[in-house]
Amino acid sequence: MGGVSVLSVFTQANTALSKLPWEKRRIRLGLIRHLASEGYDNCPWSRRGLDPPRPRKQIAKWFAERSVSGVVTTPKDLQEAFDVSPEAAELLLMSMVRSCMKDREFAAGLRQGALANDVATIRASLEDDAAARKAAEQAKYGLVPPAVGGYAGILRADEDRVPYNPAYTTYTADDVISWLEDSGGSRLRLVWGSGGSGKTRLARQVEEVLGESGGWLVHRASSGEDLPGAALHLLERCGDRRVLLIIDYADNRLGLAEAEACLARADQTHRLLLLARAGGDWWERLCNENKGADARTGEVELTPASLDGAAINAIATGAAHEYARILGVPFDGVEVHVTLAGEQPRPLLLHMTALVAVLNLANNPQSDSVAVKLDEVLDSLRAHEETWWQLMEERMRPQWGGKTITLKQVRQAVATVNLLRPATKKEARAALTRSVRPRGATEGLLRLLPALYRGSGSDPIGPVQPDLFAEYLVFHAFAE
């Protein structure tokens, strides 16, 4: 099976299937269509109007009724049995399908022992193919991101491995702790600032510090979480501890007043830490409903600290070394020099500068220093991200029939899903059909986008992160 690929094995299986009489073809079709429905529904047999896929349980029952011992009927079964990758498991299952179609008793190739000789061959072939593909992609595109989410995903505040630095901002985690320890302080504290100012990093640091103290029960509400329900759950668990509920994007959250009232009724020492882009009417209303809160003293603007050029370069260089380690780029002895644009940089822009420096160095590994202009860093990161889009489009193109999706179409699609946040695949299809021009790329984009930005829960496509970079991509796409 040298040089084997998933598509070629499927094609061989389909060829063998087409040679069988129709009554026998129907029996085995469920197994092949099961694989097709797992992500290969554009392979040849799915376009021939054959039977719909049989449910997985029905396939397993069909084999069991024929007393086939040691039967394995899903890629997951094979993956566990032989300790191989999901891709190798799919190849093994197709090997079983081919053997099954050639044997009148339908048993040959279905026993685990009969597949043992294929395992080493398939694993070696896949490793060779993966190594060759990686070398070809790096030669054409440069550095390849480590996971779904692209280069920018490395900067997500919830996942960024660069340690919290109190030197970034004028208001720090220690200031939040002081407010919490002040028995006469307001139950509410709003920390507001523009995108990338460090609000989420601040909240993470507070959560980490208080988690080690034992006197507080801290919870940072996730996006879309029921806030009154979260407050009640915390009160059930807190015991003698005080509660701190941290709410990001507080200016857009429902149930905020109800959650605050729930905590206040239980104990006046419980606190809410709110994070938002700005205050305004929503904050004034919340303070008016909470007689113990004063909007003037309960809010803090998170602004960058005043740092000199040497300190900024040192912070960017330290962050760059961490990103270089994640991406596998040699960075020992390399320094980052940041050219400022007349104002102090927000923490996210500093980290973005460090990441761009690493990506630039990967394309010019002979340098011992990298200069990055702060006012060009968003555009530089966009260029690197779009290179990754092109790589993924080329890699996945056979899944939608080989038709090229242009970079402009991907830009429009990414902007659309980040503006509308479709909750279902149907909503995503409708949005892409209306917004992406020229038309005809929708089905390919519905496969490409989840590979770029994986959704969570029922969301078919995840948003670009961080928010500041997503907003820039939206602006750039619709400004063309």
Side-chain angles (χ1 to χ4, degrees):
M1 293 182 81
V4 71
S5 71
V6 174
L7 187 58
S8 67
V9 172
F10 283 173
T11 303
Q12 293 173 33
N14 181 61
T15 301
L17 180 68
S18 65
K19 296 178 181 179
L20 292 172
W22 175 248
E23 62 275 10
K24 292 185 178 181
R25 193 185 308 176
R26 290 170 59 88
I27 296 174
R28 302 160 191 83
L29 192 56
L31 190 55
I32 295 180
R33 290 286 298 191
H34 155 68
L35 289 177
S37 68
E38 294 294 306
Y40 300 96
D41 52 356
N42 266 337
C43 291
W45 55 85
S46 69
R47 297 195 290 268
R48 297 174 59 174
L50 302 181
D51 286 351
R54 292 188 175 193
R56 197 175 284 185
K57 288 183 180 179
Q58 187 175 350
I59 297 168
K61 181 180 178 182
W62 184 85
F63 283 118
E65 289 174 348
R66 283 150 183 79
S67 302
V68 180
S69 61
V71 66
V72 280
T73 60
T74 68
K76 185 177 180 181
D77 292 333
L78 284 165
Q79 188 179 351
E80 294 175 353
F82 292 103
D83 189 25
V84 294
S85 68
E87 189 176 10
E90 290 176 348
L91 292 176
L92 284 168
L93 189 50
M94 290 313 302
S95 176
M96 292 164 52
V97 171
R98 292 202 310 278
S99 297
C100 180
M101 289 186 294
K102 293 176 182 178
D103 193 297
R104 292 185 178 182
E105 298 301 322
F106 314 119
L110 288 172
R111 304 176 194 278
Q112 293 184 15
L115 292 172
N117 293 333
D118 286 348
V119 173
T121 303
I122 290 177
R123 181 187 282 121
S125 176
L126 289 173
E127 290 174 353
D128 291 344
D129 287 351
R133 185 181 70 181
K134 183 177 180 180
E137 289 175 346
Q138 288 183 339
K140 183 173 182 178
Y141 294 103
L143 194 65
V144 179
V148 173
Y151 299 113
I154 299 173
L155 296 168
R156 292 181 57 179
D158 281 335
E159 297 181 7
D160 198 343
R161 301 175 194 176
V162 176
Y164 170 79
N165 190 336
Y168 285 158
T169 55
T170 54
Y171 189 73
T172 69
D174 288 341
D175 295 317
V176 177
I177 302 300
S178 297
W179 160 64
L180 293 171
E181 292 176 348
D182 181 5
S183 59
S186 168
R187 291 196 303 273
L188 304 177
R189 173 58 51 92
L190 168 63
V191 178
W192 63 275
S194 56
S197 59
K199 301 183 293 295
T200 304
R201 292 178 187 278
L202 176 70
R204 282 185 62 195
Q205 182 65 14
V206 170
E207 191 176 11
E208 182 177 331
V209 172
L210 293 181
E212 298 173 354
S213 68
W216 287 86
L217 177 61
V218 185
H219 175 67
R220 185 153 51 98
S222 60
S223 176
E225 185 174 355
D226 173 34
L227 297 182
L232 286 171
H233 184 61
L234 289 170
L235 292 175
E236 292 173 355
R237 295 170 47 214
C238 67
D240 295 333
R241 294 175 293 177
R242 298 166 66 188
V243 169
L244 172 62
L245 178 57
I246 303 174
I247 303 174
D248 207 348
Y249 304 101
D251 49 337
N252 295 316
R253 301 295 291 270
L254 299 175
L256 191 59
E258 291 84 350
E260 190 284 326
C262 179
L263 293 179
R265 285 194 299 268
D267 193 324
Q268 291 290 314
T269 64
H270 295 324
R271 302 291 175 92
L272 262 75
L273 175 61
L274 309 177
L275 312 174
R277 290 284 182 96
D281 293 342
W282 71 272
W283 172 241
E284 294 284 351
R285 287 195 301 271
L286 186 62
C287 289
N288 289 337
E289 294 173 6
N290 177 8
K291 298 179 181 180
D294 187 335
R296 293 168 299 176
T297 60
E299 66 175 277
V300 176
E301 181 181 5
L302 195 61
T303 57
S306 181
L307 301 172
D308 60 25
I312 289 173
N313 290 340
I315 290 174
T317 300
H321 277 275
E322 181 61 26
Y323 297 140
R325 187 186 65 78
I326 294 171
L327 292 169
V329 177
F331 211 80
D332 291 342
V334 179
E335 294 184 356
V336 179
H337 297 280
V338 183
T339 303
L340 299 179
E343 60 182 19
Q344 289 292 319
R346 286 170 276 173
L348 176 59
L349 289 178
L350 261 182
H351 286 194
M352 199 174 289
T353 300
L355 178 58
V356 167
V358 173
L359 297 174
N360 289 346
L361 184 71
N363 297 324
N364 185 20
Q366 305 304 317
S367 302
D368 58 2
S369 66
V370 186
V372 182
K373 294 182 178 179
L374 191 67
D375 58 351
E376 297 178 359
V377 69
L378 280 165
D379 205 48
S380 297
L381 184 57
R382 178 184 61 82
H384 287 293
E385 195 85 352
E386 289 183 349
T387 298
W388 176 58
W389 295 350
Q390 291 174 297
L391 181 153
M392 291 297 292
E393 189 277 335
E394 182 178 304
R395 181 187 294 177
M396 298 179 64
R397 196 178 297 161
Q399 293 189 22
W400 52 81
K403 185 177 180 180
T404 300
I405 299 175
T406 67
L407 179 57
K408 184 175 182 179
Q409 288 175 318
V410 182
R411 287 172 179 165
Q412 293 171 346
V414 170
T416 297
V417 298
N418 277 274
L419 273 177
L420 301 180
R421 301 289 177 90
T424 65
K425 189 174 181 179
K426 182 178 179 181
E427 290 181 7
R429 177 180 285 107
L432 294 174
T433 301
R434 291 195 302 268
S435 63
V436 177
R437 296 290 184 274
R439 294 184 177 181
T442 299
E443 295 307 314
L445 288 167
L446 286 172
R447 289 171 171 78
L448 176 62
L449 292 178
L452 297 176
Y453 305 106
R454 183 178 296 132
S456 59
S458 61
D459 294 339
I461 304 165
V464 175
Q465 293 286 341
D467 290 341
L468 178 66
F469 185 59
E471 292 161 3
Y472 181 78
L473 291 180
V474 171
F475 169 79
H476 185 271
F478 292 112
E480 288 185 313

